[in-house]
Amino acid sequence: MADFISGFWNAYVMVLVTLSILFCVFVLASNMTRRKEGAAELHGHVWDETLAEYNNPLPRWWMYLFWITIAFAIVYLAIYPGFGDRNQHRGQWAQYETEMKTADERFGPVFAKYRQMDLAAVAADPEANATGQRLFLTYCAQCHGSAAQGAKSFPNLTDGEWLWGGEPETIRTTILGGRMGVMPPFGPALGAEGVKDVANYVRSLSGLAHDSLRAQRGKDVFATNCVACHGADATGNPLMGAPNLTNKSWLYGSSEATIIETVTHGRSNKMPAFGEFLGEDKVHMLAAYVLSLGKK
Ligand code: HEC
Ligand code: HEC
């Protein structure tokens, strides 16, 4: 569970809960006054000419109800356990541990069997893909989409186009260690006109409508500034995660305005590392599943 919650938030909640309970105790204790001897006092406020109010203490039975809620809160926190005590194997922690253990016992041998097979063989196994898909829906779909078709800035994993490479081992490495793609900003270096020229050249590469005069000038700008990452023929470089700019697959978008934005301000995005979180066996299943998607 420490994967999800850092110790700081545990402490933060514990301090807040303790302070709130102490505050309730203080408010209650300071209101437990007794009725004074003699005639009852009046509050001193008068409404509607004659309507006054006795200054009597709050009823005892009513105050005791509040004391009972405080006692209940303390007992509840101790039993739940609400004080983040993950070493006491009970309550939700125990439930989580038992569920994880049952799942490991049930799926461990299945994962181990597939782990012996190479990725291409696992990718061709329908049963393995069904398991891989379930893992994908749990851990990956929030970014890549449930059909793995991606969204703006999140790559489509089904189109056979790869930023970092589609070899089985490369896909596994991507999932294990994560990736960080960085396209630097060129606005300051090229100026608005230079950016517009190179954007038109980029559009010309995949046969999109463009201003040919600008594209002509943009070609030189590209040769000087962009080939180091995107390659002389602009087909990308999997060592830097630089995309192929000559095809119909776009990470951010192909409109002139979007390309200008990309080149002016730069782009960067991060694929998180899953090796430590999921373990090699699950990553193996996921890599095979992703591989099977690219094949379609
Ligand atoms: C928080 C969002 C996020 C999650 C969750 C996520 N990814 Fe990614 N993934 C990305 C981003 C962003 C990239 C592109 C990184 C870049 O810009 O270079 C990426 C890239 C990839 C790539 C490389 C694609 C290529 O074209 O080379 C693969 C493969 C991949 N993810 C698989 C997965 C799998 C499998 C999971 C689930 C275990 C997963 N991702 C979960 C955001 C995410
Ligand atoms: C340091 C390497 C590097 C250089 C230099 C570089 N790029 Fe990029 N470029 C990248 C990377 C990496 C990405 C993907 C960013 C991401 O994953 O978020 C990218 C993305 C892009 C995209 C978005 C493509 C899409 O699919 O939406 C365009 C357009 C682009 N670059 C054009 C250029 C142009 C034009 C130049 C030269 C002016 C240039 N790049 C220079 C690394 C580079």
Side-chain angles (χ1 to χ4, degrees), residues 1 8 34 59 62 73 104 139 186 232:
M1 212 63 182
F8 170 78
R34 290 196 167 277
W62 196 66
D104 279 348
Y139 299 111
F186 280 90

Side-chain angles (χ1 to χ4, degrees), residues 238-282:
L239 292 176
M240 341 221 22
N244 185 339
L245 301 174
T246 66
N247 59 22
K248 302 230 172 317
S249 155
W250 295 89
L251 196 52
Y252 294 97
S254 64
S255 74
E256 186 183 334
T258 310
I259 297 176
I260 287 176
E261 195 191 323
T262 300
V263 178
T264 307
H265 302 292
R267 301 276 191 188
S268 80
N269 214 343
K270 190 174 168 203
M271 157 74 193
F274 282 91
E276 213 172 289
F277 177 50
L278 294 179
E280 300 241 349
D281 287 359
K282 283 184 192 155

Side-chain angles (χ1 to χ4, degrees), residues 95-125:
Q95 192 183 346
Y96 174 75
E97 279 164 15
T98 321
E99 276 171 15
M100 289 302 282
K101 226 175 116 210
T102 320
D104 279 348
E105 275 163 14
R106 189 161 150 222
F107 298 115
V110 181
F111 289 157
K113 182 186 96 188
Y114 288 121
R115 188 68 200 287
Q116 307 295 319
M117 298 162 56
D118 74 28
L119 284 168
V122 183
D125 184 320

Side-chain angles (χ1 to χ4, degrees), residues 136 139-140 142-144 153-157 161-165 171 174-175 179-181 241 251-252 268-272 274 278 286 290:
F136 190 90
Y139 299 111
C140 323
Q142 66 272 42
C143 292
H144 292 285
S153 93
F154 299 112
N156 183 338
L157 304 177
E161 289 296 335
W162 301 96
L163 295 166
W164 298 95
I171 294 176
T174 297
I175 304 170
R179 299 286 192 184
M180 177 88 201
L251 196 52
Y252 294 97
S268 80
N269 214 343
K270 190 174 168 203
M271 157 74 193
F274 282 91
L278 294 179
L286 280 161
V290 170

Side-chain angles (χ1 to χ4, degrees), residues 12-283:
Y12 180 77
V13 171
M14 282 186 251
V15 167
L16 275 190
V17 167
T18 312
L19 287 180
S20 325
I21 291 182
L22 288 178
F23 178 71
C24 291
V25 168
F26 164 76
V27 171
L28 275 180
S30 57
N31 280 291
M32 292 292 281
T33 48
R34 290 196 167 277
R35 186 198 287 258
K36 294 209 183 73
E37 294 296 317
E41 256 174 64
L42 287 176
H43 246 307
H45 314 292
V46 178
W47 293 273
D48 289 341
E49 294 173 6
T50 58
L51 192 57
E53 195 181 29
Y54 284 129
N55 185 11
N56 279 336
L58 297 164
R60 291 267 137 170
W61 64 267
W62 196 66
M63 300 295 281
Y64 287 136
L65 285 183
F66 281 109
W67 285 112
I68 289 169
T69 62
I70 289 180
F72 177 85
I74 292 169
V75 171
Y76 184 88
L77 279 173
I79 295 176
Y80 187 55
F83 271 112
D85 191 351
R86 62 185 81 161
N87 297 321
Q88 298 180 17
H89 294 277
R90 53 203 173 92
Q92 55 180 343
W93 300 116
Q95 192 183 346
Y96 174 75
E97 279 164 15
T98 321
E99 276 171 15
M100 289 302 282
K101 226 175 116 210
T102 320
D104 279 348
E105 275 163 14
R106 189 161 150 222
F107 298 115
V110 181
F111 289 157
K113 182 186 96 188
Y114 288 121
R115 188 68 200 287
Q116 307 295 319
M117 298 162 56
D118 74 28
L119 284 168
V122 183
D125 184 320
E127 223 168 290
N129 283 336
T131 309
Q133 184 179 32
R134 278 197 291 277
L135 290 169
F136 190 90
L137 290 174
T138 310
Y139 299 111
C140 323
Q142 66 272 42
C143 292
H144 292 285
S146 53
Q149 288 177 334
K152 186 169 177 178
S153 93
F154 299 112
N156 183 338
L157 304 177
T158 67
D159 59 3
E161 289 296 335
W162 301 96
L163 295 166
W164 298 95
E167 293 305 311
E169 284 310 315
T170 314
I171 294 176
R172 195 221 308 266
T173 307
T174 297
I175 304 170
L176 279 176
R179 299 286 192 184
M180 177 88 201
V182 180
M183 155 85 195
F186 280 90
L190 302 181
E193 288 302 307
V195 169
K196 202 161 179 178
D197 290 347
V198 80
N200 274 278
Y201 175 67
V202 168
R203 278 176 62 84
S204 77
L205 293 171
S206 51
L208 295 166
H210 58 277
D211 175 329
S212 50
L213 201 64
R214 284 192 179 275
Q216 198 87 56
R217 289 199 300 258
K219 189 172 183 186
D220 295 334
V221 178
F222 193 88
T224 321
N225 297 281
C226 321
V227 295
C229 295
H230 291 281
D233 54 359
T235 51
N237 181 352
L239 292 176
M240 341 221 22
N244 185 339
L245 301 174
T246 66
N247 59 22
K248 302 230 172 317
S249 155
W250 295 89
L251 196 52
Y252 294 97
S254 64
S255 74
E256 186 183 334
T258 310
I259 297 176
I260 287 176
E261 195 191 323
T262 300
V263 178
T264 307
H265 302 292
R267 301 276 191 188
S268 80
N269 214 343
K270 190 174 168 203
M271 157 74 193
F274 282 91
E276 213 172 289
F277 177 50
L278 294 179
E280 300 241 349
D281 287 359
K282 283 184 192 155
V283 169

